[in-house]
Every structure is written in C-alpha cells, then in structure tokens.
Amino acid sequence: MKLGPATLVDVFRRRSVPASEDPAASGPATAEATQPKGYTPKKGAPTPKRRESAPALHRPVNAPQTRKEAYRAWRERQARDVPRVKRAKGAPPGEERNFRPQDLGPVRAYARDVVDSRRSISEYFLYFSLAIIVLLFLPLPEFQVVVTYVVWPAMMVTIIVEGVFVANRVKRQARELFPDDGSVRGAGWYAAVRQLQVRRLRLPKPRVKPGEPVPAPRR
C-alpha cells in the first residue's frame, strides 16, 4: 500500500494528545497510576481504632456457671441433634445408645431375633480365625498344610453356606410378615453379618436366647 504526499504530511503533523485530554485513558486505573508510590486507595469506611475493636475480641464467654446449667445446655444440644432424635424414636426405651440408623424398624428387629434364636458355627468365626493363626506358627510343615488347605477352606465354606441360608430365610419370612415395608431389602445381608459376630459382643444386645421361639414382630 503506497502513501501519498498528503497522507505522509498528515501523519507527521499529528500531535500527541495529552493523557488528561484522552477520554480512553481516563478512569480509576489512570487515577491510581498517577498517585505516588505507596499510595493505598480508600476502603470506603474508616478503620476502627484499637480501643473500639478490642472489647469485641475479648468479650466474656457465656459458659455454664453451675452443673444444672451445663446439663440444661447439653440437653438442648441433644434435642437439636436430628439423627439422634430419629434413632431414639425407633429404639426401645433406655437402649438408644445401642442403636444405629440401620438397626431401626420392625424388620431389622425380626432379623436379629431370628439370628439370636439359633446357634451357628459362624458366631465362632473370630475364635476359629485366631486359633488357625496360632496353629500356623507351629514348626510342623504337615500340620500347616492341613490347616491351610483343609481346615481353613472348610470353615469358610461352612460360614458362606450358613450365611446364605439365614439370609434367604429372613428375606422370605420378612416379605410375608411385612409386605408393605420397604426396609425388607437388605434384611438378609443384615442377618448374615450379625451371625458372624460373637454373641456377647452383638449390638443391639440379643433379646432372645438360643432355642427360644422368635417373638411376634411388632408392627
């Protein structure tokens, strides 16, 4: 592109516009740029003085002064705990601390009663496991082979069979007793897991002894 003589003259004759007269360069950023080094823009509100802010930072804490006030505050916090309130409503009186959300409901109570009313090999799983670990430390290679390839597989197969049996039994009977209860799903697995626990360590605690009939379910 070639420029004519008139164009070149206009280009060289163009005078620079001062920044103060250029509308594009005016604005907050330009105003701050013209300030001296170390300048801090205003915050819009004065900074509070130390004697004004110190009392708010050192205000006294309203701690309970007596045991009665502390107990009342604890009761108020417990009342605001929604999950705990829901658990307490579905648990027998006095046993709220032993119940988790998955333990609530008549279906789960019936599953626990079915498991607790019968003896099973699975409830000794912890004891068998500890005994096998101890036996594996004996310096008898033949004995270790028997424990590893005979005793341990036999125990695992027995536990699996018992778990499948009690799970199917609980699910089948729960569907008949609680046809409209949506918590029937998962009751079989719940019963199988409880069966693996040592009886005296089960929570919630068993309410029926081995050999006793299963109580009528509470709806």
Side-chain angles (χ1 to χ4, degrees):
M1 178 180 179
K2 294 183 179 181
L3 299 177
T7 306
L8 293 175
V9 172
D10 293 340
V11 171
F12 287 108
R13 285 184 178 179
R14 181 183 300 173
R15 60 187 182 89
S16 59
V17 181
S20 58
E21 300 179 7
D22 189 1
S26 61
T30 306
E32 294 181 6
T34 59
Q35 297 295 336
K37 185 177 181 181
Y39 170 77
T40 303
K42 295 183 178 181
K43 296 180 295 184
T47 303
K49 297 182 179 180
R50 184 180 183 87
R51 63 173 178 269
E52 297 176 357
S53 59
L57 297 176
H58 299 282
R59 61 182 181 275
V61 179
N62 297 327
Q65 301 298 326
T66 62
R67 184 176 180 181
K68 186 175 182 180
E69 293 179 0
Y71 179 75
R72 186 185 300 111
W74 176 79
R75 294 288 296 178
E76 292 176 356
R77 290 195 302 269
Q78 294 292 92
R80 292 193 298 266
D81 189 356
V82 178
R84 183 183 180 278
V85 172
K86 292 183 178 179
R87 288 170 53 185
K89 290 182 179 179
E95 298 186 12
E96 297 90 348
R97 60 186 179 87
N98 296 332
F99 277 72
R100 303 165 299 172
Q102 57 266 35
D103 295 328
L104 301 178
V107 176
R108 300 304 169 91
Y110 176 76
R112 292 194 298 270
D113 293 339
V114 172
V115 174
D116 298 335
S117 64
R118 58 187 299 272
R119 289 285 185 184
S120 64
I121 299 177
S122 300
E123 64 184 274
Y124 302 102
F125 171 73
L126 179 60
Y127 299 132
F128 288 153
S129 301
L130 294 176
I132 289 175
I133 293 174
V134 173
L135 293 175
L136 288 176
F137 283 96
L138 296 178
L140 299 173
E142 297 82 1
F143 188 76
Q144 294 178 354
V145 171
V146 172
V147 171
T148 305
Y149 296 102
V150 178
V151 178
W152 178 259
M155 183 184 68
M156 295 302 298
V157 170
T158 303
I159 290 174
I160 293 174
V161 171
E162 279 192 340
V164 173
F165 171 76
V166 72
N168 291 335
R169 177 185 174 185
V170 168
K171 286 192 296 184
R172 182 178 66 255
Q173 296 178 353
R175 290 194 186 99
E176 298 175 357
L177 296 172
F178 311 95
D180 300 328
D181 198 323
S183 61
V184 172
R185 183 179 181 182
W189 174 254
Y190 177 81
V193 172
R194 183 175 178 85
Q195 188 172 239
L196 286 171
Q197 301 172 356
V198 179
R199 179 174 295 271
R200 61 180 59 183
L201 300 180
R202 291 174 180 172
L203 289 176
K205 295 182 179 180
R207 60 177 183 175
V208 295
K209 297 181 179 179
E212 293 182 354
V214 178
R218 294 178 298 179
R219 299 177 183 274

